[in-house]
Amino acid sequence: MSIPASPALRLQPPGMPFNFAQHLIACNAGRPDKTAFIDDAGSLSYGELAERICRLAAGLLASGVRREERVLMLMHDCNDWPVSFLGAMYAGIVPVAVNTLLTIDDYAFMLEHSRAQAVLVSAALLPLLHEAMRKATHEVKTVIVSHPNAALPADIVALDELIAQHSPLARAAATSPDDPGFWLYSSGSTGKPKGTLHTHANPYWTAELYGKPILGITERDVCFSAAKLFFAYGLGNGLSFPLSVGATVVLMAERPTPAATFKRWIDHQPTVFFGAPTGFAGMLAAPGLPAKSQVSLRMASSAGEALPADLGERFTRHFGIEIIDGIGSTEMLHIYLSNLPGKVRYGTTGWPVPGYEIELRGDDGHPVPDGDTGDLYVKGPSAALLYWGNREKSRETFQGAWTKTGDKYVRNVDGTYTYSGRSDDMVKVSGIYVSPFEVEATLSQHPAILEAAVIGVTDAEGLTKTKAYVVLKAGQQVSEDELKSFVKERLAPYKYPRTIEFITELPKTATGKIQRFKLRDRQAEAP
């Protein structure tokens, strides 16, 4: 069913010209001494941030990178990340932020695919970049290293030196709201990543429609995101939202293990935490889980995959705060369907965010009635322009004003939406769709289960059956028959997994999404 945007919403689009980096600098011109970012090495004030953005913009242009050309960003989360990203945008150059946990072949592909003219790279990742450049047919002319830990060759420059060598660029590039602003590569939960092209206005819209009115982030908040800045979700959490209101951001270079996350909660006392279901599950099962009295959290946010109800309820019981679960995508940049503070319906993804419209469509392309599963389509101002160099996939996903998300949902009678799974992951058993997520969420309620993933497999008679891959909590044991009975008692009988395989770890993207296609590949290769 189609849900229209709130009639009370009358936001004005940004005027002309509009440069997102300049917009954020202007938002914080009155608070130069306020701390903008805190990383593992130190802090950066809003005044210092603006100065470094403008100096780097001048340095990139002086290096020969021209307006609308791409620069690859292979960087861990640190204070140099927002400087690099916004410095490029300030100059009208297009930063391409990439996942720091990929393979050399992935980076070689991205260098060629983006035709990047320069690379901004963390020192620890420089060896990977060198290997990728040796494999790729690339156009990189300049490599710029953040905090090098050794002397650099003559053809590589340190980021701090490049910034110090140039006076601040006096004026931001006169970009329009619809000009190319930056790329993000899709996370690859369903296959090969795609270069997703966003405009200068798109992050403005996510902050205006979600960060401010829904999450209520203000300059008093300290934000900390386990999702990294290269991820669309993380970019809003750790840059667009807080910088739009003058909040402070805690950045962490290392992977967001429970121990690393708890350390930042206690050391920096963030008020808003952004995570994913996998991370919340790991934290609740970790021995060092802090007490409510040890932290200052007023709210948590979850995205990446739907949050199981049991997980949200256990987190709320322990910390006394809500997890605001929502769904967004690389293509829409951030969340467009969300629970609301003070109005959380655990087990659902909430209501459409005002400013966005939602439709659930059947296989015939027509809207489905409440209670039926449909393909989720979304319309809103933060949609990407296209996938670079992939016209066929662009046409399939960006259909006029609507974006086909690839997710299956059910609309409930109260207007909330319940996740059924990715369209590619849905399993049809005896002619009836089974949601992998529903079975996974039920399995995860068992006290011995840390996480689970469900796929469809074909039996000897050519019929599709469900199979579950299960990861146990440390020191726990449970039989396959017990788990089958556990599911049968809670779901319709045809939904229980016919086979269960115990494994030590589920394949995931760096942002925590389960890669069920890898489990299907594993099953296909099994003898």
Side-chain angles (χ1 to χ4, degrees):
M1 304 293 290
S2 178
I3 305 298
S6 167
L9 192 69
R10 290 290 183 267
L11 290 176
Q12 290 296 318
M16 292 274 290
F18 180 79
N19 181 291
F20 184 63
Q22 173 57 40
H23 166 70
L24 293 182
I25 290 173
C27 285
N28 296 290
R31 51 174 72 90
D33 298 325
K34 171 85 182 291
T35 299
F37 289 97
I38 303 169
D39 69 4
D40 299 332
S43 62
L44 190 69
S45 71
Y46 273 103
E48 292 167 333
L49 175 65
E51 174 89 2
R52 288 175 69 81
I53 287 170
C54 297
R55 286 180 179 271
L56 179 60
L60 289 171
L61 293 172
S63 299
V65 186
R66 297 174 297 180
R67 182 167 167 171
E68 294 191 12
E69 289 184 328
R70 274 77 64 195
V71 294
L72 198 81
M73 281 182 57
L74 178 57
M75 299 180 71
H76 290 134
D77 280 17
C78 66
N79 292 345
D80 281 346
W81 204 105
V83 170
S84 300
F85 187 82
L86 296 173
M89 292 186 75
Y90 190 88
I93 293 165
V94 179
V96 180
V98 301
N99 186 331
T100 59
L101 298 171
L102 300 178
T103 67
I104 290 167
D105 286 342
D106 289 324
Y107 297 133
F109 163 75
M110 291 172 176
L111 286 167
E112 293 185 10
H113 183 248
S114 67
R115 297 198 285 274
Q117 301 297 300
V119 181
L120 292 141
V121 60
S122 292
L125 299 171
L126 187 57
L128 279 177
L129 174 65
H130 281 153
E131 289 296 320
M133 290 175 68
R134 276 192 279 270
K135 295 190 74 170
T137 303
H138 64 82
E139 300 180 23
V140 175
K141 302 178 182 66
T142 306
V143 174
I144 304 162
V145 183
S146 169
H147 298 299
N149 46 24
L152 295 173
D155 60 340
I156 298 179
V157 62
L159 179 62
D160 282 343
E161 290 183 10
L162 185 65
I163 288 173
Q165 289 167 3
H166 293 87
S167 299
L169 189 65
R171 185 173 301 160
T175 50
S176 82
D178 293 335
D179 275 357
F182 58 95
W183 291 18
L184 299 173
Y185 276 93
S186 63
S187 60
S189 61
T190 57
K192 199 173 188 62
K194 300 173 289 293
T196 310
L197 176 51
H198 280 284
T199 69
H200 273 265
N202 284 4
Y204 163 85
W205 283 118
T206 63
E208 294 299 314
L209 295 176
Y210 192 70
K212 294 179 183 179
I214 303 298
L215 297 182
I217 295 174
T218 72
E219 64 180 342
R220 296 185 298 276
D221 279 310
V222 177
C223 299
F224 173 45
S225 176
K228 301 299 184 183
L229 288 164
F230 64 74
F231 180 33
Y233 176 50
L235 183 66
N237 306 340
L239 193 149
S240 306
F241 296 175
L243 266 60
S244 292
V245 297
T248 296
V249 183
V250 176
L251 296 177
M252 179 174 70
E254 64 186 297
R255 297 190 71 167
T257 63
T261 300
F262 299 157
K263 184 178 188 305
R264 273 71 183 185
W265 282 3
I266 292 170
D267 289 353
H268 299 296
Q269 294 292 304
T271 57
V272 183
F273 173 71
F274 302 86
T278 298
F280 285 113
M283 288 186 290
L284 288 173
L289 184 68
K292 175 184 177 181
S293 60
Q294 293 179 277
V295 303
S296 299
L297 297 174
R298 69 169 182 85
M299 178 192 297
S301 166
S302 180
E305 286 201 310
L307 181 77
D310 177 65
L311 203 55
E313 290 161 358
R314 286 193 286 128
F315 189 91
T316 296
R317 283 197 298 271
H318 183 86
F319 288 108
I321 64 168
E322 299 170 320
I323 299 180
I324 310 302
D325 184 33
I327 185 173
S329 66
T330 305
E331 291 76 11
M332 294 302 294
L333 192 55
H334 213 274
I335 290 170
Y336 47 81
L337 185 63
S338 178
N339 278 273
L340 306 172
K343 192 179 179 183
V344 169
R345 301 285 188 273
Y346 284 133
T348 80
T349 315
W351 296 264
V353 171
Y356 294 90
E357 294 180 48
I358 299 293
E359 278 191 3
L360 298 185
R361 302 179 187 174
D363 293 339
D364 59 2
H366 297 298
V368 301
D370 288 357
D372 285 4
T373 300
D375 291 304
L376 178 66
Y377 287 73
V378 58
K379 183 199 296 187
S382 62
L385 293 174
L386 50 81
Y387 298 127
W388 182 262
N390 195 335
R391 190 177 189 186
E392 179 181 359
K393 198 65 179 175
S394 294
R395 283 179 164 179
E396 180 183 327
T397 300
F398 305 107
Q399 300 180 11
W402 293 93
T403 299
K404 183 178 182 180
T405 67
D407 292 300
K408 293 274 192 182
Y409 265 86
V410 173
R411 185 178 185 270
N412 306 308
V413 293
D414 64 352
T416 60
Y417 287 73
T418 299
Y419 182 66
S420 294
R422 292 288 298 174
S423 298
D424 292 343
D425 293 330
M426 292 294 287
V427 182
K428 210 167 193 179
V429 178
S430 301
I432 306 173
Y433 274 121
V434 174
S435 163
F437 175 76
E438 183 182 21
V439 183
E440 292 160 6
T442 302
L443 282 166
S444 296
Q445 292 174 26
H446 193 284
I449 303 304
L450 179 62
E451 53 188 356
V454 172
I455 63 169
V457 299
T458 304
D459 65 14
E461 298 177 343
L463 300 175
T464 299
K465 308 292 186 185
T466 50
K467 176 175 181 176
Y469 290 86
V470 168
V471 179
L472 297 176
K473 293 177 182 176
Q476 295 290 322
Q477 288 193 354
V478 64
S479 70
E480 183 175 353
D481 287 342
E482 182 182 340
L483 288 179
K484 288 179 180 179
S485 297
F486 185 82
V487 175
K488 286 179 184 178
E489 292 169 1
R490 290 160 176 79
L491 296 179
Y494 68 90
K495 295 182 179 181
Y496 85 93
R498 300 313 194 267
T499 55
I500 297 175
E501 182 175 335
F502 296 93
I503 58 177
T504 58
E505 186 178 12
L506 294 176
K508 297 182 187 127
T509 69
T511 55
K513 293 182 182 179
I514 297 171
Q515 294 174 309
R516 293 176 186 82
F517 73 92
K518 289 190 175 180
L519 294 174
R520 290 193 287 268
D521 291 344
R522 169 182 173 142
Q523 179 65 28
E525 294 167 1

